[in-house]
Amino acid sequence: MQTLSCSQVTKTYEGVAALSGVSLALNPGERVALLGHNGAGKSTLMKIILGLIPATSGDVQVLGGAPGARAARDGTAYLPENAAFHPALTGLEQLRFYMRLRGADPKGAMALLERVDLAQAATRRIGTYSKGMRQRVGLAQALIGRPRLLVLDEPTSGLDPVSRREFYAILDELAAGGAAILLSSHVLTEVEARTDRIVILSRGRMVADDTLDALRRRASLPIQLQVRARPGQADLVARQLAGGRRNGVMVDLTCAADDKLARLGQIAALDRLVEDVEVIPPSLEDIYSHFSQGAGA
Amino acid sequence: MSRVLATAAAEFRIALRNRWVAIVIAMMTLFSLVLSAAGSAPTGDLGVDRLSVTVASLTSLGVYLVPLVALLMSFDAIAGEVERGTLPLVLTYPVSRGELLAGKFAAHLGILALATGVGYGAASVAAFAVDAHAAQGLPALLRLFWTSLLLGATFLGVGYAISAWARRPGAAAGLAIGLWLVLIVLYDLGLLAGVVSGGDGVFTTRVFPWLLLANPADAFRLYNLAASEAATAAAGVGGAAATIPALESLLSIAGWPVLAFLLARLAFQRVTP
Ligand SMILES: Nc1ncnc2c1ncn2[C@@H]1O[C@H](COP(=O)(O)OP(=O)(O)OP(=O)(O)O)[C@@H](O)[C@H]1O
Ligand SMILES: [Mg+2]
């Protein structure tokens, strides 16, 4: 059974479409990254999945039930975009409260806080926490009671690099245990190795839903070649290779992935004029903007 | 049920940390003591025990103070969560909105019980200190205590409804104070004006008693004063109390909390996080 399935989900706010025709499915154990520019509709999609706001049209099934139904809520954990808690409560009290709401034994609260490295601050008020510490409280509450679906809205925002790594390690464990994970992010390099699939939203439309490798192939973006000419030869090299000259020694070329070897051969033939050549494949950001911006056209 | 208790415990703790518990208790105690001291002058010659006189004073205090305190505790309950951004997360938990509301309600009512208990208690101790026969007034004191809680429960519910409806703590606070002024102060003034200008007409004989019953604060005053003859003469609307059976005012006091809670529940349902 699919943990989550959305089909043709549309959401309009006073005539403005925040989501249009989004279809998405998550299987147990799958980690999916949701990417998209500010205002693309990531948080909106998540809130619909959680049953916090109704979709204007379309169908959503969470753990076999409607979003927000008791069964769905029992098995779903959420980390909101800017996780906020009551400043007067301590981290431990806040977590115990959430555990009791979930019907979990509040005795395990300290263990959860240890897991997110918050044990030392457990008995301090959340009002005194730093942003990253509040985010960890949010992560801790999302781990209560072995959720089968985790919906995490920018979970690593505010976390330092070490904490990020630890966070993804926890996610790996959960996914290995069969939990499906949907997380949004703006940091591509981070989700690259840590998720199974990437979904890109652009202006409310889903423009990609695939593995990163497949997206890379589909985008077939040009490769950049940076040629370093010998002193005084840059103009000549640029003319011979029909490339643009950047400064006194550098010549920039671009070519399709299939032409790469032929182009390198041409450069190698100019070995008297050329000192060095560097091959730069399209970056994650390039692939992302290819899909994200291509949607409007 | 355990979810309601968990919510209540968390809310109580928050109120304790925010000093609300201390403030409310101090307020009730201070006013109770001041009022019972002020009302101590004409005692003895009425043939009533000291505690009954104190209860009469506390009744007129409770009419103002209990709704005010209840509104002050409740106006932030939902609007505050919306503003802090804590509402969306808690609504994804397997807990219903009714349970959340009931938890807050239990905590706030508990604080109110504590405050009125301490406040009225302090005033009664003062009464016992000066009158050996004060025990005669105990039933009246007890009645005042639980009717105060019902009155408080009504205004807690109304406060939650306002809080959910306004969505912003500032707007909710304004609405709560406005409502208090209208229901507790202006309402009676309006009724008195109606009675004065209407003479013995239809308004005074038919409409006025029902309007009194419809207001939970007036019903509270009627019910408590009807039993306490000492105060009847002193109270402004006391004359009308004689014409209204106690049962009907009791129904009003007991029915309002239910109605107010339902109202709050409906208003909360309409809040989208
Ligand atoms: N309550 C609302 N009323 C009106 N419009 C809204 C509302 N909530 C969201 N929107 C609109 O819906 C669109 C999608 O917003 P959403 O918060 O889902 O974006 P996002 O992808 O999460 O962006 P970000 O990366 O900045 O978090 C935006 O254009 C936003 O203005
Ligand atoms: Mg967002």
Side-chain angles (χ1 to χ4, degrees):
Chain A
M1 188 193 67
Q2 279 174 339
T3 306
L4 165 71
S5 79
C6 304
S7 74
Q8 293 300 315
V9 173
T10 294
K11 175 78 187 174
T12 41
Y13 284 114
E14 290 128 26
V16 183
L19 287 175
S20 21
V22 174
S23 299
L24 174 71
L26 257 79
N27 291 308
E30 232 179 348
R31 298 162 303 171
V32 173
L34 191 57
L35 304 178
H37 57 83
N38 291 134
K42 303 181 294 293
S43 301
T44 304
L45 179 62
M46 291 183 160
K47 284 183 184 164
I48 290 173
I49 290 169
L50 293 157
L52 287 175
I53 54 176
T56 308
S57 69
D59 182 56
V60 181
Q61 292 273 315
V62 182
L63 298 166
R70 200 49 170 261
R73 283 204 254 172
D74 268 332
T76 307
Y78 174 45
L79 174 61
E81 195 161 14
N82 297 305
F85 305 97
H86 206 292
L89 294 177
T90 68
L92 192 61
E93 287 163 352
Q94 181 74 74
L95 206 59
R96 280 203 186 121
F97 167 60
Y98 286 131
M99 293 183 94
R100 290 173 74 186
L101 284 190
R102 275 226 186 278
D105 186 356
K107 282 200 198 79
M110 203 60 197
L112 273 181
L113 286 174
E114 267 161 26
R115 201 159 169 203
V116 296
D117 242 339
L118 216 52
Q120 292 86 356
T123 52
R124 271 167 45 196
R125 293 184 192 190
I126 297 179
T128 68
Y129 283 14
S130 71
K131 174 168 164 39
M133 289 163 84
R134 281 199 303 276
Q135 190 74 6
R136 285 151 190 250
V137 177
L139 292 178
Q141 64 80 32
L143 302 177
I144 297 170
R146 295 182 66 80
R148 289 198 285 147
L149 172 65
L150 286 101
V151 179
L152 312 171
D153 203 347
E154 301 188 24
T156 56
S157 81
L159 292 188
D160 59 62
V162 175
S163 316
R164 280 177 195 220
R165 190 145 16 98
E166 287 165 2
F167 163 72
Y168 280 106
I170 293 177
L171 283 201
D172 289 347
E173 258 173 63
L174 290 168
I181 298 164
L182 179 68
L183 66 93
S184 71
S185 177
H186 288 292
V187 190
L188 295 147
T189 44
E190 183 183 300
V191 301
E192 176 186 17
R194 295 301 199 160
T195 52
D196 305 309
R197 240 165 64 219
I198 288 179
V199 171
I200 302 178
L201 286 179
S202 173
R203 277 170 261 170
R205 294 181 183 282
M206 202 166 86
V207 291
D209 176 8
D210 220 328
T211 61
L212 186 63
D213 279 341
L215 291 182
R216 205 189 285 277
R217 274 197 305 277
R218 241 175 67 199
S220 63
L221 290 176
I223 290 166
Q224 269 193 32
L225 302 174
Q226 287 184 351
V227 183
R228 176 186 293 275
R230 288 192 195 279
Q233 307 295 338
D235 278 329
L236 186 59
V237 170
R239 229 177 302 128
Q240 299 246 344
L241 294 172
R245 209 192 85 178
R246 188 168 2 131
N247 54 31
V249 289
M250 299 301 291
V251 176
D252 289 338
L253 304 172
T254 55
C255 70
D258 295 341
D259 298 337
K260 185 172 73 178
L261 286 179
R263 208 70 168 122
L264 282 173
Q266 290 170 4
I267 296 166
L270 298 176
D271 64 339
R272 283 174 301 105
L273 306 176
V274 171
E275 247 177 16
D276 193 13
V277 60
E278 200 151 358
V279 181
I280 302 169
S283 68
L284 283 172
E285 272 77 11
D286 293 334
I287 297 169
Y288 168 72
S289 25
H290 170 81
F291 285 103
S292 185
Q293 288 165 5
Chain B
M1 194 60 204
S2 66
R3 288 181 289 266
V4 175
L5 287 179
T7 312
E11 284 294 332
F12 189 82
R13 186 164 271 141
I14 288 169
L16 209 60
R17 294 270 159 81
N18 290 348
R19 311 243 150 66
W20 259 117
V21 178
I23 290 171
V24 171
I25 290 178
M27 220 157 108
M28 286 303 292
T29 311
L30 185 74
F31 278 94
S32 299
L33 285 177
V34 166
L35 225 83
S36 68
S40 66
T43 188
D45 37 283
L46 283 168
V48 197
D49 68 284
R50 189 74 195 86
L51 186 57
S52 294
V53 175
T54 301
V55 167
S57 309
L58 289 179
T59 304
S60 2
L61 170 78
V63 161
Y64 290 94
L65 207 52
V66 169
L68 185 67
V69 164
L71 286 171
L72 285 180
M73 282 196 294
S74 57
F75 82 87
D76 192 51
I78 293 160
E81 296 236 18
V82 170
E83 172 138 309
R84 274 195 302 279
T86 48
L87 194 58
L89 179 57
V90 80
L91 287 181
T92 64
Y93 272 77
V95 57
S96 73
R97 292 185 187 212
E99 287 170 325
L100 284 178
L101 211 53
K104 287 174 184 283
F105 183 74
H108 292 150
L109 196 62
I111 295 167
L112 205 62
L114 209 63
T116 41
V118 172
Y120 294 174
S124 317
V125 167
F128 271 99
V130 295
D131 184 357
H133 301 292
Q136 285 171 10
L138 274 179
L141 179 70
L142 215 65
R143 185 173 50 234
L144 177 69
F145 178 67
W146 62 258
T147 49
S148 291
L149 288 192
L150 286 176
L151 181 65
T154 300
F155 280 87
L156 283 176
V158 170
Y160 298 144
I162 287 177
S163 189
W165 189 68
R167 315 256 162 111
R168 296 225 180 95
L175 275 174
I177 295 300
L179 188 88
W180 181 82
L181 271 177
V182 168
L183 278 188
I184 311 297
V185 183
L186 297 182
Y187 195 89
D188 284 2
L189 288 180
L191 287 193
L192 279 180
V195 169
V196 167
S197 66
D200 279 341
V202 171
F203 179 82
T204 308
T205 54
R206 313 291 301 246
V207 185
F208 173 69
W210 288 108
L211 285 178
L212 267 188
L213 280 177
N215 186 327
D218 282 325
F220 164 83
R221 183 159 31 202
L222 284 181
Y223 183 69
N224 279 293
L225 292 192
S228 146
E229 293 164 5
T232 315
V237 289
T243 66
I244 298 173
L247 179 70
E248 286 171 18
S249 42
L250 181 61
L251 279 179
S252 171
I253 315 173
W256 264 110
V258 180
L259 214 66
F261 191 83
L262 288 178
L263 195 71
R265 180 71 186 79
L266 276 178
F268 190 20
Q269 193 61 43
R270 292 181 53 233
V271 176
T272 43

